[in-house]
Amino acid sequence: IVTLVAQDEQGRTVKATVKIVVKPEEPKCTAPAISEFTANKHEITVGDGVDFKIDINSDCFKKWIIWFNDGLQQPATGTNTHDKAWYRFTRAGTFIVTLVAQDEQGRTVKATVKIVVKPEEPKCTAPAISEFTANKHEITVGDGVDFKIDINSDCFKKWIIWFNDGLQQPATGTNTHDKAWYRFTRAGTFIVTLVAQ
């Protein structure tokens, strides 16, 4: 409200008012809008990468940020309205990847993509024991027994035989087709165990 006050020489006054409405300044640009945020894959295995496509409409765009939300890496950032980003996921889980676009006035808009990361497939099959036999099952104290070992595995590491007589350390080996010999020096019934790794 603008007020005009007029006064004559004798001190008499008169007032007039005018109402003025001042609107906020029109934004210099439109708020950002995300027209595309897509991933080339939505289900992957640990160690795989994903390409993200970004398309943002804004006449005063400032930057974009992608939060991968896997707890491992810093976000990716960029300043192009039409852009791409790539990210390798290194742990299994379901992750909501979030794109945040910001303009010069600080206004933001978000879009999300869900990525499911499955555990890595084993690089080899678990070992399988195809044969573990003894040439004798009943002996006298002091006699020895021959054991035949046959293990199937494409990533075999070693085998261990536990004689379980409380006297000796286990026998070990690294061949998938092997033999072992052991002398029992005390009487008893012993469950001999082969472990393949």
Side-chain angles (χ1 to χ4, degrees):
I1 303 284
V2 177
T3 303
L4 169 65
V5 178
Q7 184 176 14
D8 65 12
E9 293 175 354
Q10 296 177 0
R12 294 177 290 189
T13 61
V14 64
K15 295 180 187 178
T17 59
V18 177
K19 180 179 177 182
I20 305 291
V21 176
V22 180
K23 295 180 180 178
E25 184 179 5
E26 288 292 321
K28 294 180 182 165
C29 63
T30 58
I34 297 171
S35 55
E36 183 175 13
F37 180 51
T38 57
N40 68 327
K41 300 177 223 169
H42 293 275
E43 192 169 300
I44 61 171
T45 303
V46 168
D48 289 347
V50 176
D51 290 309
F52 296 93
K53 187 174 179 187
I54 302 157
D55 196 359
I56 300 165
N57 295 321
S58 175
D59 51 2
C60 63
F61 173 73
K62 183 177 180 183
K63 66 179 177 179
W64 57 258
I65 302 170
I66 296 179
W67 298 92
F68 300 101
N69 296 316
D70 62 354
L72 299 174
Q73 299 290 331
Q74 294 296 314
T77 61
T79 56
N80 295 321
T81 56
H82 307 287
D83 214 340
K84 292 182 180 178
W86 182 85
Y87 187 72
R88 181 186 310 271
F89 288 85
T90 57
R91 71 180 186 99
T94 298
F95 305 103
I96 304 301
V97 179
T98 303
L99 168 67
V100 178
Q102 182 180 15
D103 69 10
E104 293 170 352
Q105 296 180 359
R107 295 175 293 187
T108 61
V109 64
K110 296 178 183 180
T112 61
V113 174
K114 181 169 95 171
I115 305 294
V116 176
V117 184
K118 299 180 292 185
E120 189 173 9
E121 295 293 323
K123 292 187 169 104
C124 63
T125 57
I129 298 171
S130 56
E131 183 176 9
F132 181 53
T133 57
N135 69 330
K136 302 174 199 169
H137 293 275
E138 204 169 288
I139 60 171
T140 305
V141 170
D143 288 347
V145 176
D146 289 313
F147 296 93
K148 186 174 180 186
I149 302 158
D150 196 0
I151 299 167
N152 295 321
S153 176
D154 52 0
C155 61
F156 173 73
K157 183 177 177 183
K158 68 178 179 179
W159 57 258
I160 302 169
I161 296 179
W162 297 92
F163 299 103
N164 296 315
D165 62 354
L167 299 175
Q168 299 290 329
Q169 293 295 317
T172 61
T174 57
N175 295 320
T176 56
H177 308 289
D178 214 341
K179 293 181 180 180
W181 181 85
Y182 186 72
R183 181 186 312 270
F184 288 87
T185 58
R186 71 181 187 98
T189 300
F190 305 105
I191 305 300
V192 179
T193 304
L194 170 65
V195 176
Q197 295 179 333

